Structures are given as C-alpha cells and as structure tokens.
Amino acid sequence: MTPAPVIIALDGRSGAGKTTLAVELAARLRQHHKVSLFHLEDIYPGWNGLRTGIERYVATVLTPLSQGTAAEWVSWDWERHYDGGPNVTLPAEIVIVEGVGAGADAARPLVDAVVWVEAPGDDRRRRALTRDGSTYEPYWDTWAAQEEEWLSADSVVIDADIQIQNPADGSALDQLLQALMYLPSLAAILSPELSSRRGLQLRSEKIDATPDAAQLFESLYGSSTNAVWLDSSNAAAVAGRSQAAARSRFSILADDGGTFGQSVLHRSGATRVTAGSATVTTSGPFFRWLDSVWGRRALRAPQGYDGQFTLGWLGCLGYELKRETGGNDVQSDTPDAALLFAGRAVVLDHRERTVWLLALEAPDAGDWLREARAAVVRASGGGDGVGAVVGAAAVGAAPEFTSRDSATDYKRKIADSQHQISEGNSYEICLTTTLEAPAGDLDPWSSYLALRRRNPAPFASYLRFGGLEIASTSPERFLRILSDGGMRAEPIKGTRGRSADPDADAALRQELETSLKDRAENIMIVDLLRNDLSHFAIPGSVTVSRLCAIESYATVHQMVSTVDAHLRPGAPRAEAVAAAFPAGSMTGAPKISTMDILDQLESGPRGIYSGAIGYFSLNAATDLAVVIRTLVVNPDGEGGRTLTLGVGGAITADSVADDEYEEIRTKAFGVLSTLGADFPD
C-alpha cells in the first residue's frame, strides 16, 4: 500500500468552470508532483443521479484513495444511459477530484482541502451548454434543481476551505494556487511551490519631490476597497535628526491591488485570506499564522533607501488578540486583525524630501510605476491639495456620543481598581471606556484629514478595510523590530492638556515632569516592557535609553520612555510581537492578571482600540503604534454604521477619581473637538 495521497476537492454548481480549473491545476502541480485527476461526471448514474453519484464517489473512489489504495469504480455510459465498464484511479502524491458534490458532507472528512468554485448563474448556463451542447440543454433545469436541493441540506459552501469566484479570464488558477499554499494541510506537499513563491524581486524608483500626501493617497487609493496610509503627519514640526524626527521620517501609502495583493481578516481563531477572487479560511492562532507569512528576510532594501518597509503586510491588530497572549477570550464586533499585503507601495521620506516607489516584479509592475510616478508629479504641484481643501471642511453633523460608563460608573470602577491593587492583584490598572455614536453621514476620510491637521502625530494613520475605517492620531510606538534585530518600545504614561497661554502651558509641562504619580506609572510600564522584550532578546541587551522624558503635541504633553533590546538570532519574530502584545501601557502590570481584572471591570470589548497599527515588512522588520486617539467606523450589521472612540488611563493606589476622570476627558478632547462633538455627560 502506498502512502495516502493529499486529496483536493473542487466543488461548485454546474458550469462554474471546475473542470477547466482542475485540469489547469493538475498540469501546474505536475511540474513537481505525481497527480491523479478524477471527474465526478464519470460516475453520476444519469441526469437524476446527483445524490446517488455522490454516494458512489465517496464509497468507491474517495474511501480507498484516502487509505492509499487504488479506487475501482464503475463509470456511467451517458449514451446508453446505463452503467459502463470498470475503471481504476491510482493514488498519487496529489489526487484532484472535481465535480458537483466533490466536497459534500460525507466527503469532507476524507479530503485535505475543499475548494468551492462560484460563477454567476447566466455565465454557468452558457459555459455548460457551450461545453456539452444540445446533450445537456434538455436536462439543465432538472440538474440545477438537484444541485439546489442538495445544497439546501449541505453546508459545503460555508465549510469549504477556499471559495473562489471564477471569471473565466485566466486569473483563477494563480489565485487558487496562492490560496492553497495558506492551508496547513497542504504546506508540506506544496513546499516546492512555496519555495518558488519566495523568489521575489523588488523594483524601485526614487523621485525628488514633496507631494501633498493626502492628495497622493486620494489619487492612487481613493477608490480602493482596502487601503492603508501610515502617516507621519507631524513630520514638518520635527525636522532634523532628533529622535522625534526619526519616528516621523517616513510615511507609507498602499493598497492590496496588483498581482500580489491580498487581504486578511482574523476573528476568534479563524483567519480569512482573500487573494483576488479566491478566499481561504484556516483555523488557528493569528500569531502562528503571522509567523508563517512573515518573519524571514525575503527582500533587501534598495540601495540608498533608509526605510525599513520593503513591502509586505500593513494594517491593525485588535486588543482581543490577547486571548493568544494570556488573556481571556472576548468577542468583538470588529475584526481581531485586519491586514493587507502590499506588493507595491509609495514611501515618503520627509527628511530627504524624496519619494520611493516600491513594487514586486510582476507583469503589471511597470504600468503601476508609471501611474504612481504621474500621481506623485500631480500631487507635487504646490499648495496643500486635498489636505487643505478638506481639512478645514465640515466632517458632517457633530456626532452625539454616549459613554459605556457614566462619570459615576467610571469613578466606581476606579475604586474597584484600587481595591484590586490593595489586595495585591495588580500594581497598576489601565481602565478604559468607550464612547459610541451612530456614524450617520460622517465621512471617515474627511474626518481623518481634519484630525491630522488639528492633531499631527508621528504614528497617525488612516485604514480602510471595506466598511471598516480607522482614523488615528496616535503618538505612541508599541514596538519596532529592525531587519537586523534591533528592538524598541516607547511607552507613554502621563498626560496633561496644553494651554494657549505660554506660561500656563509651561507650568503644565513642569507639573507633569515632576509628578511622582505619573513617574511611578511610567516606570512600572517600563519594567513590564523590559520583561516583555527579554523573552526573545539577547541576554543583557535590554536597556532603558530614555526614562520619563516629556514630549509635547498639539493638544497634550506626554511622558515617554524608551526601552531597547536586540532580538536573538533565529528567534520567531511574530512570537516576539506576541510576547509584548497588547502594549503594557494599555493593560497595566503585571499584565496577565491585570487583563483578567479589566475583563471583569470593563463592560465590553475594546476592539481595535488598545491594539496596534503598522506593518510587517518582507525584510522581517516591523513598526507598530499603539491604537489610541483613534476613531473607528464599523458596520453595525443592520445597514448602519457605528462610530467609536476608546479612552482610558492608568489607575494606581494614589489615583484621585476626579483627576483620573478629567484625564480621559483631556485625552478625548483632541478628537472630539475636531468633530465638533462633546464628551458625553
């Protein structure tokens, strides 16, 4: 008996193009493997025989093949309308079975991957009749009715590992192969295909220009379903070579278009990757999936390019991913992670006043480079472009926020937090609440442009994933890992509002700088982060290069520290991110026990808030910001949209409830005032 083969089932309604796709897939896989191909149309017992055909297929074909033995089966003679002769299908490394019912309920335990192939009904009928002519036409309705009856009782469409729209334009095969490589059950057998996929080449162009970034984003990605702008919106205010300027040196603009474009949404242990018309769903921890697609150096930076981003994944991680890092499993209305893979991107170097166009070598790379170059030229025509036109514009009627916690409730939870601290269950608890409003006619893009002008920040960002839109003006870095392994976290703890009066403003800054309570909060988080980074750092490399420094932004003064380390050679980078997630500045210390306390105190999930926004680059680098000062617009499932803003602060034994409540109002002010909204009573 030979080893059991890997079995791939291509299922779908008649005329979806399964046969052609299966033949093309078999031909491609035969470059590296022995492949057998079985068509269910050879075994259906007549035009009324769908259910019986599925039963015969499972019993006489799938069962022996899945055990590594030859399948002996009886074909159907379509001309005589009777059983034909005996046939044998031999097990090979890979067996592809295709036809209506190939992934049926009884078949799924015996196959390694189920692919559901879909196409519009009119296209399916036309394709089927073109292929089989007048033979099929009298039976189309009969067969279609059987398909619908079967599907009404079988969840194959939902349960399929991969769903692919087949437009019959030649694109489906490459997208299917890309999707198959994400399935853990196929990873070992498809290792030659995976190796060839890693042979990436990077094209780049450098342009001396200072385009209006908002205008450039709108020009290139305004109509993209998924797009990300990691926007160092305060770059003009921190020119030079200071540490603040280094944080704000680069901005990245990208979508998931082109040959290599993909997007991923993760919810509660299920990762859904979309590559063109193919969607693959796998189960398992997100950070394990991330480690499989990132963390190894696949590309080097172009000569003369100082940025760490060399294309790759961009997007956000939600706070509820803490279920994988020691926290409880809490469900959220927003995805636990939303990323896109950018096979091409625009990077603005604000210090050098240059633009880098980056694109993976592909048939469409040249056209995109020409399009991007033209967009850069248009956006460099002078003036403030879209940013000026929209930034001062109304962003819609001022939303009316309600708070998850009233002032009384929040202050009571502060007391509860202090009780937990007095009992020795925590040293510091970062208590948060959520402000929520119907989004109404609010335009997230216009709102972001207004926010970036009013509250410029080094880690500002605008993200769009279909109906999910995120507008952030975060000043805080969560974690950076350079391609050479250098690690840095820059926690913020301690906030004071700004004053228009210079003397009063200086006094507020001095008050923060000398506050024993704020210094204690900051130092506790620094100690937590030293521990987080040490899990994967070279022993002795963890240092605190800056402790309790004061940085001033448009609406607040903040206390910031810097923790550095160096990653151990060969350490899994996704696991290093997971070891520090979520940011200690958003949990408190010790992290795991405090997250458990927060789940008891807070009245719902945090969602995107308190998570991270940034990139995972193909050179194994990452730079992630903490999600604070951030608006999230999310579909509510009833045809509307919900607008949320998370706010919070660190509670210690010395906290004064009135002061802590005033601090969350201060933190929310910059965002709410931009919208013309008030903090709810």
Side-chain angles (χ1 to χ4, degrees):
M1 185 172 68
T2 61
V6 169
I7 302 176
I8 302 171
L10 270 65
D11 205 338
R13 296 175 179 85
S14 236
K18 302 180 299 301
T19 303
T20 301
L21 192 55
V23 170
E24 292 174 343
L25 178 62
R28 186 71 66 87
L29 292 177
R30 283 184 179 125
Q31 296 176 14
H32 301 289
H33 311 280
K34 293 181 178 179
V35 180
S36 291
L37 181 58
F38 175 79
H39 303 282
L40 266 71
E41 67 178 21
D42 294 334
I43 204 171
Y44 301 130
W47 295 108
N48 290 302
L50 176 57
R51 284 190 176 277
T52 303
I54 293 173
E55 293 171 1
R56 288 186 176 189
Y57 149 69
V58 172
T60 64
V61 178
L62 263 192
T63 298
L65 286 177
S66 67
Q67 297 168 354
T69 60
E72 299 179 2
W73 50 278
V74 176
S75 65
W76 180 256
D77 188 326
W78 289 93
E79 292 184 359
R80 294 174 53 239
H81 301 284
Y82 201 74
D83 282 342
N87 290 267
V88 175
T89 298
L90 297 175
E93 267 189 288
I94 298 174
V95 174
I96 299 172
V97 293
E98 72 82 19
V100 183
D105 182 64
R108 290 199 287 278
L110 303 175
V111 303
D112 297 279
V114 175
V115 179
W116 179 261
V117 185
E118 190 60 86
D122 291 344
D123 286 351
R124 289 191 289 104
R125 182 184 177 95
R126 177 181 49 78
R127 293 178 195 173
L129 297 184
T130 298
R131 183 191 65 199
D132 295 327
S134 58
T135 304
Y136 193 176
E137 188 166 12
Y139 302 101
W140 172 264
D141 291 336
T142 299
W143 188 262
Q146 289 179 89
E147 291 177 351
E148 295 309 316
E149 181 184 359
W150 162 60
L151 288 172
S152 69
D154 196 306
S155 59
V156 60
V157 179
I158 297 173
D159 292 346
D161 300 291
I162 297 171
Q163 297 172 331
I164 184 165
Q165 293 288 330
N166 186 8
D169 61 0
S171 63
L173 176 61
D174 286 337
Q175 292 164 0
L176 174 58
L177 270 168
Q178 191 172 49
L180 286 169
M181 293 177 197
Y182 281 117
L183 296 177
S185 58
L186 303 187
I189 195 73
L190 295 183
S191 57
E193 286 77 12
L194 281 165
S195 296
S196 64
R197 186 179 69 169
R198 293 183 183 126
L200 302 173
Q201 298 294 321
L202 179 63
R203 294 178 61 175
S204 65
E205 290 187 20
K206 179 183 176 183
I207 304 171
D208 293 322
T210 54
D212 176 75
Q215 182 180 341
L216 182 59
F217 185 88
E218 178 73 3
S219 174
L220 287 173
Y221 307 122
S223 61
S224 300
T225 300
N226 303 319
V228 170
W229 177 13
L230 303 182
D231 174 25
S232 295
S233 61
N234 71 329
V238 289
R241 297 178 180 270
S242 66
Q243 195 171 84
R247 287 203 301 273
S248 303
R249 179 175 173 182
F250 296 100
S251 293
I252 302 167
L253 299 75
D255 72 355
D256 59 350
T259 298
F260 292 94
Q262 302 165 62
S263 63
V264 59
L265 295 177
H266 180 92
R267 293 179 184 271
S268 302
T271 301
R272 185 179 178 89
V273 182
T274 299
S277 62
T279 300
V280 55
T281 303
T282 59
S283 298
F286 170 79
F287 286 107
R288 185 185 302 165
W289 175 88
L290 181 63
D291 188 60
S292 72
V293 300
W294 171 74
R296 289 167 287 278
R297 297 183 194 180
L299 284 179
R300 292 187 177 183
Q303 188 171 3
Y305 173 70
D306 293 334
Q308 284 288 307
F309 178 72
T310 57
L311 302 177
W313 298 94
L314 307 99
C316 60
L317 313 182
Y319 176 75
E320 271 65 50
L321 279 177
K322 66 184 175 63
R323 72 169 64 87
E324 300 182 18
T325 62
N328 298 320
D329 185 2
V330 177
Q331 306 298 306
S332 174
D333 292 334
T334 51
D336 296 325
L339 301 174
L340 62 81
F341 183 87
R344 52 204 197 184
V346 179
V347 180
L348 309 183
D349 185 337
H350 300 292
R351 190 183 79 186
E352 300 299 320
R353 301 175 70 83
T354 58
V355 178
W356 286 86
L357 308 181
L358 308 177
L360 295 177
E361 184 61 77
D364 56 359
D367 289 342
W368 181 83
L369 287 167
R370 284 190 291 274
E371 176 189 348
R373 189 185 314 118
V376 169
V377 171
R378 290 193 302 272
S380 303
D384 225 5
V386 172
V389 173
V390 182
V395 294
E400 295 186 10
F401 284 93
T402 58
S403 178
R404 182 180 286 173
D405 299 291
S406 66
T408 301
D409 291 337
Y410 193 77
K411 292 175 184 179
R412 174 179 53 78
K413 291 179 179 182
I414 291 172
D416 292 341
S417 299
Q418 291 177 311
H419 175 71
Q420 293 284 350
I421 293 169
S422 70
E423 291 292 307
N425 299 323
S426 180
Y427 303 111
E428 176 181 357
I429 297 174
C430 297
L431 182 67
T432 78
T433 190
T434 299
L435 311 184
E436 183 175 303
D441 62 352
L442 180 135
D443 176 19
W445 170 242
S446 298
S447 299
Y448 175 66
L449 294 178
L451 282 170
R452 75 186 292 267
R453 290 175 66 84
R454 184 178 178 88
N455 302 300
F459 297 104
S461 57
Y462 170 77
L463 295 82
R464 184 195 308 130
F465 288 90
L468 173 67
E469 295 186 67
I470 300 166
S472 177
T473 56
S474 175
E476 182 175 358
R477 171 178 274 146
F478 161 46
L479 178 65
R480 182 189 73 184
I481 304 177
L482 301 177
S483 59
D484 67 3
M487 305 171 75
R488 171 166 288 181
E490 296 183 279
I492 290 176
K493 267 286 162 267
T495 303
R496 295 293 185 277
R498 300 293 302 269
S499 173
D501 177 76
D503 292 336
D505 193 58
L508 287 165
R509 181 185 173 102
Q510 176 70 15
E511 178 192 332
L512 176 60
E513 193 169 20
T514 57
S515 167
L516 295 179
K517 172 187 173 295
D518 289 297
R519 291 181 66 86
E521 289 179 9
N522 198 292
I523 290 169
M524 277 191 277
I525 297 305
V526 166
D527 193 48
L528 185 155
L529 280 166
R530 290 173 63 242
N531 177 69
D532 285 349
L533 297 190
S534 71
H535 290 297
F536 290 94
I538 295 172
S541 70
V542 181
T543 60
V544 180
S545 57
R546 188 174 58 148
L547 186 65
C548 298
I550 306 301
E551 294 185 354
S552 298
Y553 295 90
T555 59
V556 292
H557 300 294
Q558 308 242 230
M559 184 178 285
V560 188
S561 294
T562 301
V563 184
D564 291 311
H566 202 92
L567 194 69
R568 292 199 312 267
R573 296 196 172 207
E575 292 304 315
V577 174
F581 188 87
S585 60
M586 301 306 293
T587 62
K591 184 184 287 186
I592 292 177
S593 62
T594 303
M595 287 193 296
D596 184 58
I597 292 168
L598 287 166
D599 285 339
Q600 298 172 43
L601 291 175
E602 296 178 355
S603 306
R606 294 186 182 182
I608 305 298
Y609 171 61
S610 300
I613 290 174
Y615 66 75
F616 303 94
S617 173
L618 287 174
N619 64 350
T622 184
D623 202 355
L624 301 166
V626 180
V627 183
I628 53 177
R629 320 288 197 271
T630 300
L631 288 171
V632 178
V633 177
N634 193 48
D636 62 11
E638 299 178 359
R641 301 178 305 156
T642 299
L643 173 66
T644 56
L645 172 67
V647 288
I651 309 304
T652 66
D654 295 333
S655 290
V656 176
D658 288 344
D659 293 344
E660 295 293 347
Y661 190 69
E662 188 57 35
E663 181 174 323
I664 69 170
R665 291 173 60 92
T666 297
K667 290 176 176 176
F669 174 77
V671 175
L672 294 180
S673 60
T674 303
L675 301 180
D678 297 318
F679 198 98
D681 295 331

